[in-house]
Amino acid sequence: MDAQTLARCKAGDPQAIESLVLEHKDRLFRFCLSILDDPADAEDATQESFIAALKALKNYRQESSFQTWLFSIALNTCRGQLRQRTRRARLAAASQPLHRQQAESSNPERAAIAHEHSHAMWQAISRLDEKHRLPVILRYYHELSTQEIAEVLGINLGTVHSRLSIARQHLGAELRQANRPKRAAR
Amino acid sequence: MKPLTHAQTQELLQLAADGLLQPGQRAQLDAHLAGCPECAAYASELDSLQQLITSSLHERWGQPDMPADAGRRLQEQALRTRPGAGIGKLWLLLLALPLAALLAWQLLAPTPLTPSAPTETQPASPSATVAPPTATPSPIPSATATAPFAPTLFAVPAQTTNCREGNSSQFDIVDTLYTDERYEPLGRGRDELWLQFRGPVSGVRCWAYVGNLSVLLNDDEVQLPDVPESILPYLAYPATPTIPPTPEPTATPVPQCSDGLDNDGDGYIDMQDRECSDPTDNNEAN
Ligand SMILES: [Zn+2]
């Protein structure tokens, strides 16, 4: 995003705002989707984050890229949503089973080996705690550099690297463990 | 150049995966890999692990665009939003009046201001409505034009903001302050960069970065150093945790016999290594 367009956005130029939205909405949507793992929630979060970013545009100092800054705002929004979701889940827990998990495991079409591996990997990733899962998603889904990840998460570069290596170690181990009994059965 | 050990090589491979190799390390790494089947195997395993992570995430979510109708709604709302283009200098004028009133009030009323229970929804004083005479005596002496001017101070997050145990992002997040809600700060830090709040959900005291907040004194936006100290006392920050930036402790340490690594370098991994008694055994060497 060039500085000129941003300056025009700050001044309230509707054309500039329109092109800012156009340029960033899809990546922002994918970002929220990857944190929330739910398209409808991701739509809301994208909306909320973008508007929050526009309102806070004066705080953007161009030390990081606009996208990185936008992601860091969206991360906060998504965390808020996750918190609410946890609260809702706690309230609903007594009466209802967890729908999402049920729907997942009742899918019988998991035949292809490649697909099976990839699904097992997704499950292993979703079991990581947040501080290890987020860097993995930002690196391997959003293809951010470690420097950009550090900016989005507000942690330093060394911490990003150590979280990523620990996550890779976990994921590698989990996958091997998941594969072992199946190989023995064949 | 000193040859690399296996462990050093594997750490360099981890750094390479994160794009963090120093100049020159690539050549060193390649030299070792060329002559070491063990590390070459580690490298290719790391490679396929990364490919699998990437493909599984893409399989999960694909590369969707924002749905068209949601995109349109966003465009519309964005155009209705006035971008935060800075407060300008107007607030100085707006501030002058309440501050003068406040100063006068402070000189006349020596009682210290205690930050009291939240009064967020307190409406503007209904000066137009004349209170009918009632039997219940009001605790306020008189509701005349010279009634004490009560300053109210709020913070309004410009974005959803983390509230942390202390005054840096090194501290854990303990609560969240939401956009456009009003929160009453309990105090500020000496460096004017963090404000303390009572976490709205957790109820614990937590700190938020002022860059994410607008501070309102009687509904006028003010900059923090201009908030009179009697309204917002200075507070000591909690001791900064001395966390070494790296390496950080694993959340759940994986025992050597189930960590997927050949810890003792004998060519056998985890339970394939006869020195492992069970997967919880933390010593692969004996
Ligand atoms: Zn080696």
Side-chain angles (χ1 to χ4, degrees), chain B residues 7-49:
Chain B
Q8 284 169 335
T9 305
Q10 293 171 10
E11 175 48 26
L12 283 189
L13 284 166
Q14 289 288 340
L15 284 167
D18 293 339
L20 295 173
L21 279 190
Q22 302 293 322
Q25 285 181 325
R26 169 53 60 187
Q28 234 182 329
L29 186 57
D30 289 342
H32 182 102
L33 290 177
C36 177
E38 185 194 321
C39 289
Y42 182 92
S44 82
E45 203 173 309
L46 180 59
D47 244 24
S48 41
L49 177 70

Side-chain angles (χ1 to χ4, degrees), chain A residues 102-151:
Chain A
Q102 267 200 341
E104 206 122 301
S105 53
S106 66
N107 186 345
E109 295 305 317
R110 297 286 182 200
I113 300 272
H115 187 91
E116 205 174 279
H117 278 186
S118 152
H119 187 68
M121 176 53 80
W122 157 251
Q123 288 188 318
I125 293 169
S126 65
R127 273 196 300 270
L128 291 173
D129 61 2
E130 188 197 88
K131 71 181 191 182
H132 293 100
R133 190 177 61 250
L134 285 181
V136 166
I137 289 172
L138 293 174
R139 180 95 184 113
Y140 295 103
Y141 180 67
H142 297 287
E143 294 171 2
L144 297 192
S145 70
T146 29
Q147 180 58 45
E148 289 169 323
I149 296 172
E151 284 164 11

Side-chain angles (χ1 to χ4, degrees), chain A residues 8-146:
Chain A
R8 282 167 54 210
C9 288
K10 284 186 196 181
D13 177 345
Q15 266 189 333
I17 291 174
E18 212 174 313
S19 69
L20 191 74
V21 173
L22 210 59
E23 185 174 335
H24 290 279
K25 68 178 170 59
D26 294 329
R27 296 203 64 171
L28 187 61
F29 174 70
R30 288 196 282 272
F31 177 82
C32 295
L33 177 64
S34 69
I35 308 288
L36 298 169
D37 192 36
D38 180 295
D41 284 356
E43 273 181 33
D44 293 346
T46 308
Q47 188 104 5
E48 192 185 324
S49 310
F50 211 104
I51 300 306
L54 275 180
K55 286 182 183 166
L57 211 52
K58 64 183 172 197
N59 298 328
Y60 172 55
R61 303 261 183 265
Q62 305 197 0
E63 286 146 3
S64 55
S65 77
F66 181 73
Q67 179 183 280
T68 309
W69 183 73
L70 196 55
F71 279 6
S72 68
I73 289 175
L75 180 61
N76 278 322
T77 310
C78 292
R79 277 187 176 136
Q81 283 217 4
L82 288 174
R83 243 174 248 264
Q84 286 174 350
R85 194 188 281 178
T86 316
R87 252 174 281 158
R88 280 201 304 269
R90 230 179 276 140
L91 289 174
S95 56
Q96 284 176 322
L98 290 169
H99 289 297
R100 289 178 60 76
Q101 284 183 9
Q102 267 200 341
E104 206 122 301
S105 53
S106 66
N107 186 345
E109 295 305 317
R110 297 286 182 200
I113 300 272
H115 187 91
E116 205 174 279
H117 278 186
S118 152
H119 187 68
M121 176 53 80
W122 157 251
Q123 288 188 318
I125 293 169
S126 65
R127 273 196 300 270
L128 291 173
D129 61 2
E130 188 197 88
K131 71 181 191 182
H132 293 100
R133 190 177 61 250
L134 285 181
V136 166
I137 289 172
L138 293 174
R139 180 95 184 113
Y140 295 103
Y141 180 67
H142 297 287
E143 294 171 2
L144 297 192
S145 70
T146 29

Side-chain angles (χ1 to χ4, degrees), chain B residues 22 38 48 72 76 90 127 140 179 220 276:
Chain B
Q22 302 293 322
E38 185 194 321
S48 41
R72 263 195 306 278
E76 285 160 16
L90 193 64
S127 51
I140 303 159
T179 320
D220 290 319
C276 280

